[in-house]
Amino acid sequence: METFVFDVGSTLIREDRHWAAWADWFGVPRHTLSALVGAVVAQGRADTDALRLVKPGMDLAAEWRAREAAGHGERLDEADLYPDVRTALGRLRGTGARIVVAGNQTVRMGELLRTLELPVDAVGTSGGWGVAKPEAGFFHRVRELAGSAPDRTVYVGDHPALDIRPAKAAGLRAAHIRRGPWGHLWSGTPDAALADWRIDALDELIGTAAG
């Protein structure tokens, strides 16, 4: 494989801070919101539906703007990374592979990812591209950023329906990582079964760089 493209949430980044910040913003116990996220995920719904259960009828974009204005916008630091991220990406890059990060994230989160100075060659976000997973246009941008043939490019993600199925539809190889709520709960679905590799940690990708 020549290029490895990584999803962000629940693949590279733990989302503890993300959901804790929303719980604090709405003034509900963190465990309550965590439980609601689990419930909507189990129902096959968008995780943001958990926020709408806490505050029915809310405008998500308006809430984001209010948080930013109040100084409670997106934050990211080394503690938000899964422990294997920096070493695994570094080892993969050491094989000569191109390393790309591309996920359904805001422009701001893309900026924060770049400040971490991970061993990556490029970072792309749905916010910057104006198209999000699982849309085909997102994976067209992934292919452009990867700069390698689709069958020599691996998309790595936790969400079978948003990551694995559309990546395969775009002609890419795919690795499903079993972590985060989606990665664990939906690991037995037909979408997950489409993956070329099933992994529990990023270090398991090292051997595929020569495959």
Side-chain angles (χ1 to χ4, degrees), residues 102-104 126 129-143 155 161-172:
N104 280 355
S126 59
W129 289 342
V131 62
K133 295 182 293 184
E135 295 298 322
F138 179 93
F139 287 91
H140 176 73
R141 296 301 300 265
V142 166
R143 287 174 57 168
Y155 192 83
L162 297 186
D163 297 328
I164 307 307
R165 177 174 287 278
K168 294 295 292 182
L172 305 174

Side-chain angles (χ1 to χ4, degrees), residues 20-30 54:
W22 275 116
D24 295 347
W25 178 251
F26 287 129
V28 299
R30 293 179 177 184
V54 172

